[in-house]
Amino acid sequence: MSSLLNIGISGLSAAQVALSTVSNNIANASTSGYSEESVVQSETIGQTNGRYTIGSGVDVNAVQRAYSQYLTTALWSGNSNLQNATTTNTLTSTLNSVLSNSGNLQTALDNFYGGFSNVANSPSSSSVRQAALGSASSLTSIYNTLGQQLNQQSTQVNQQIGDTVSSINNLASQIAKLNGQISQAGVNGNPNALLDQRDTLVQQLAGLTGVSAVTDNQGSISVYTSAGSTLVSGTQSYALSSGANQYDVNSTDVFDSSGNDITTQMSGGTLGALINYRSNVLQPAQNSLGQSAIALASSVNSQQASGLDLNGKQGQPIFTIASPTVLPSSKNSSGGASVSASVSDVSSLTSSDYLLRYTGTGTGTNGWTLSTTSGQNVALTANSNGTLSADGLTFSVSGTAQTGDSYEIQPTRYGASSLSVSMTDPNGIAAAAALTASAGTSNTGTGKAGTVSVTNSGNANLLSGATITFGAGGNYSITDGAGNTTTGTFTAGQPITADGWSMNLTGTPASGDTFTVGANSNGLNDNSNALSLAGLSDTGVLDGGKTSVVTSYANLTAQIGTAGSQAASDLSTQTNLFNQATSNQQSLAGVNLNQEAANLVQFQQAYQASAQVISTAEQLFTNLITAIQNG
């Protein structure tokens, strides 16, 4: 009788555990991160009498959760990629909105160059000249607004990097704490709820940064960043930190628990997206926009200097713009060299940032080496005045550099936000050609003077005038207003040059013929330089004279549009992959309410049947006692 009773009690107990487990599954069907639990039972070893064995009931060995390390890891990876794609898409969408909502720069450029065409049509009109300066101010305002908004997004991205690092440290600390609780609880059974909580935290952590995880024999999980740094080991968490870049204090870098800079090694999740977007989308956009502004200012100011204004003076700059930014490393030796940079050839100017390093006497170029911040070496040229040149830039060094000192050069980063109109007098627009040429009245040859172009607007004798006198055999001498004389031999098709100007001759000059080059005295009516200013809209300025200012901005918008399109496409792909990973994981670990309802009925019946076994044992025992008493 006791055997029958014990069997019934074990069945009743097992059914009760199963009912509680099923009830818990149903209650947590909608709980994020919950894994379906099931009861593991085994038959109790029975007693044998040599001829047969009578069962002794059932044992409940464990309540285990549905779990697959492979499917769970795939879910973590899918969430890391999804959050990376989501962050990138959000940022690129914002950048596209900035470009489209901050005024139409393309239209402003067209209006600006069109203003010079209007001046060419009415070179003496003050109102037309004032309108041209107004177009310059409008264009500058749009450049400034775009530059400032990109700078603002840069500030926000750097703030987000710091905030994300803090969130990573918080999650790592919680995971380490759960490791301890799981290890302690594991002595007495499977702590399913704690394991689910830890898996959820790891998934959240993977959403912030790419991670890898390893579980040891004690049930503790170790978590590592994509850079290989340890975030969690046992009950110990190792905090990352964020801080200023060694060159740019406005740029936030990421450091491991030992203080090593691991910024460029971080990938995956929100943090990886922020770092990648800053380096490969935002900063290139800032640099390209600044490069466009520098090209605008340089080309217009240069053409201005090639003409005369309404007062008969050489044209002065219409725009001013900041010089390249030079940022010394915070690790440089105390009292070292000071480095400055300037744009010396805008046609060779790139949108790259650079690192200028002093490697010591006898190395590099005068001890210096140059590379882009992406690691590409750039050849330096040593100039006779002690400066260094590369990629359209000239570097000046003062003081004594120490080996290992380095400087980051940002030639174009703040070009757009620093662009301004320096000209206030509309009469200052240099619509007239600076120089004209005329043939001597007693010339006997067929030579005719063509236009005189300015090749060096900074030449001190540019406007001093000059007389060209031909001798026999095409030989000529040039005497300028300062009394300087140079000689040459005329070759058809080749210009005659002196004092920063260049003149083309057609025909054949005879011995004794003269030609005079002098400042343009017809400035009120001449529009030659205004036409040249208007023509800058299609004139190559960048990339060795291949890319105009208008085209450079069109290239920028296309570049950002492509980045946005790729981000949107990647988000769609990663969303589908994450949903698939979630579906796969939930097909194993998710709660199926239909199945749980069936299990509920099954275990309810088992419970009732076990209760009936107990009742039967009790009745048999009662009948036996009664029989003995009545016997």
Side-chain angles (χ1 to χ4, degrees):
M1 296 304 169
S2 62
S3 175
L4 184 62
L5 180 64
N6 288 337
I7 291 172
I9 291 173
S10 69
L12 187 71
S13 177
Q16 187 176 22
V17 173
L19 283 170
S20 296
T21 301
V22 170
S23 299
N24 192 50
N25 286 339
I26 294 172
N28 287 282
S30 299
T31 301
S32 177
Y34 178 79
S35 299
E36 180 188 30
E37 296 178 346
S38 60
V39 177
V40 179
Q41 299 179 173
S42 64
E43 181 183 4
T44 302
I45 303 301
Q47 300 295 322
T48 180
N49 61 8
R51 290 179 296 168
Y52 56 86
T53 300
I54 300 176
S56 299
V58 64
D59 285 330
V60 175
N61 301 116
V63 176
Q64 67 179 15
R65 62 178 185 145
Y67 178 77
S68 165
Q69 181 66 49
Y70 172 78
L71 293 178
T72 301
T73 300
L75 184 62
W76 295 344
S77 177
N79 188 48
S80 181
N81 293 335
L82 176 60
Q83 297 309 316
N84 184 281
T86 299
T87 301
T88 301
N89 184 66
T90 299
L91 292 170
T92 54
S93 296
T94 300
L95 184 56
N96 272 297
S97 296
V98 166
L99 292 179
S100 60
N101 295 332
S102 297
N104 191 329
L105 185 57
Q106 186 71 52
T107 299
L109 284 168
D110 292 340
N111 292 338
F112 172 69
Y113 290 118
F116 289 126
S117 294
N118 295 334
V119 172
N121 292 331
S122 303
S124 60
S125 172
S126 296
S127 61
V128 171
R129 287 169 169 267
Q130 187 64 60
L133 282 185
S135 295
S137 296
S138 298
L139 176 60
T140 298
S141 177
I142 294 178
Y143 266 113
N144 293 163
T145 299
L146 285 171
Q148 290 162 5
Q149 290 189 329
L150 294 187
N151 294 343
Q152 182 179 13
Q153 189 182 44
S154 177
T155 300
Q156 293 170 345
V157 167
N158 283 302
Q159 179 63 51
Q160 285 179 271
I161 290 174
D163 293 343
T164 303
V165 168
S166 297
S167 297
I168 289 172
N169 292 338
N170 182 44
L171 288 172
S173 177
Q174 294 182 59
I175 292 170
K177 182 177 180 181
L178 280 172
N179 273 342
Q181 295 174 348
I182 289 170
S183 296
Q184 184 176 6
V187 175
N188 301 316
N190 294 330
N192 294 329
L194 295 177
L195 292 170
D196 284 346
Q197 289 179 32
R198 188 177 67 183
D199 284 350
T200 298
L201 291 177
V202 174
Q203 181 175 333
Q204 292 175 7
L205 182 60
L208 295 178
T209 185
V211 297
S212 57
V214 178
T215 304
D216 63 22
N217 295 332
Q218 303 301 316
S220 289
I221 192 170
S222 296
V223 184
Y224 307 92
T225 69
S226 56
S229 304
T230 302
L231 283 176
V232 178
S233 179
T235 59
Q236 180 67 46
S237 63
Y238 298 87
L240 303 178
S241 61
S242 60
N245 176 271
Q246 64 169 303
Y247 300 103
D248 189 351
V249 296
N250 295 315
S251 183
T252 302
D253 280 353
V254 180
F255 305 86
D256 64 16
S257 58
S258 299
N260 301 309
D261 190 336
I262 57 173
T263 308
T264 59
Q265 302 172 56
M266 299 298 288
S267 62
T270 299
L271 181 60
L274 290 167
I275 293 172
N276 180 70
Y277 172 79
R278 181 181 65 182
S279 300
N280 297 319
V281 179
L282 180 57
Q283 289 178 351
Q286 290 177 288
N287 290 352
S288 294
L289 184 66
Q291 183 189 28
S292 172
I294 292 172
L296 171 74
S298 175
S299 60
V300 171
N301 289 347
S302 177
Q303 192 62 52
Q304 265 282 113
S306 298
L308 297 182
D309 62 20
L310 206 56
N311 299 315
K313 296 181 180 179
Q314 185 177 7
Q316 297 301 304
I318 290 179
F319 297 107
T320 57
I321 198 163
S323 298
T325 301
V326 179
L327 303 169
S329 170
S330 59
K331 299 178 181 179
N332 284 359
S333 56
S334 177
S338 175
V339 175
S340 62
S342 61
V343 177
S344 51
D345 180 8
V346 71
S347 67
S348 299
L349 184 65
T350 75
S351 59
S352 297
D353 293 331
Y354 302 87
L355 290 179
L356 182 66
R357 295 183 175 90
Y358 185 71
T359 53
T361 304
T363 66
T365 303
N366 292 346
W368 294 89
T369 61
L370 184 70
S371 65
T372 64
T373 50
S374 61
Q376 182 178 356
N377 291 328
V378 179
L380 276 169
T381 299
N383 302 315
S384 58
N385 61 358
T387 62
L388 302 170
S389 297
D391 283 0
L393 300 169
T394 297
F395 307 103
S396 299
V397 180
S398 60
T400 304
Q402 301 297 317
T403 301
D405 286 355
S406 60
Y407 305 79
E408 181 173 336
I409 316 297
Q410 298 175 349
T412 65
R413 180 71 56 83
Y414 301 106
S417 57
S418 67
L419 181 68
S420 63
V421 174
S422 57
M423 181 172 288
T424 57
D425 182 3
N427 290 341
I429 296 177
L435 299 165
T436 60
S438 61
T441 57
S442 59
N443 286 359
T444 59
T446 59
K448 293 183 179 180
T451 54
V452 182
S453 59
V454 175
T455 57
N456 179 10
S457 59
N459 190 292
N461 296 319
L462 176 66
L463 301 179
S464 66
T467 300
I468 306 169
T469 304
F470 279 87
N475 293 321
Y476 63 84
S477 64
I478 305 173
T479 302
D480 65 19
N484 302 309
T485 300
T486 57
T487 60
T489 301
F490 175 69
T491 301
Q494 296 297 316
I496 296 174
T497 62
D499 291 348
W501 52 260
S502 174
M503 181 186 73
N504 290 310
L505 278 180
T506 59
T508 304
S511 178
D513 286 355
T514 61
F515 297 86
T516 302
V517 175
N520 186 0
S521 60
N522 193 31
L524 286 176
N525 299 311
D526 184 27
N527 64 357
S528 303
N529 204 54
L531 291 173
S532 296
L533 285 165
L536 291 175
S537 62
D538 300 318
T539 301
V541 180
L542 297 168
D543 304 321
K546 298 176 182 178
T547 304
S548 68
V549 174
V550 173
T551 301
S552 71
Y553 177 69
N555 291 342
L556 171 60
T557 56
Q559 170 189 331
I560 300 305
T562 298
S565 177
Q566 290 175 342
S569 176
D570 186 47
L571 177 58
S572 177
T573 299
Q574 296 303 330
T575 298
N576 291 334
L577 291 175
F578 176 74
N579 290 339
Q580 184 63 50
T582 301
S583 177
N584 292 339
Q585 193 267 349
Q586 285 297 295
S587 66
L588 172 69
V591 175
N592 185 324
L593 290 176
N594 291 330
Q595 182 62 49
E596 297 303 324
N599 291 341
L600 192 63
V601 173
Q602 175 188 346
F603 295 134
Q604 182 183 15
Q605 292 175 343
Y607 186 91
Q608 292 172 341
S610 294
Q612 187 62 44
V613 170
I614 295 173
S615 177
T616 299
E618 181 183 9
Q619 185 62 46
L620 290 175
F621 184 75
T622 299
N623 291 343
L624 179 60
I625 295 298
T626 301
I628 292 174
Q629 290 176 344
N630 294 336

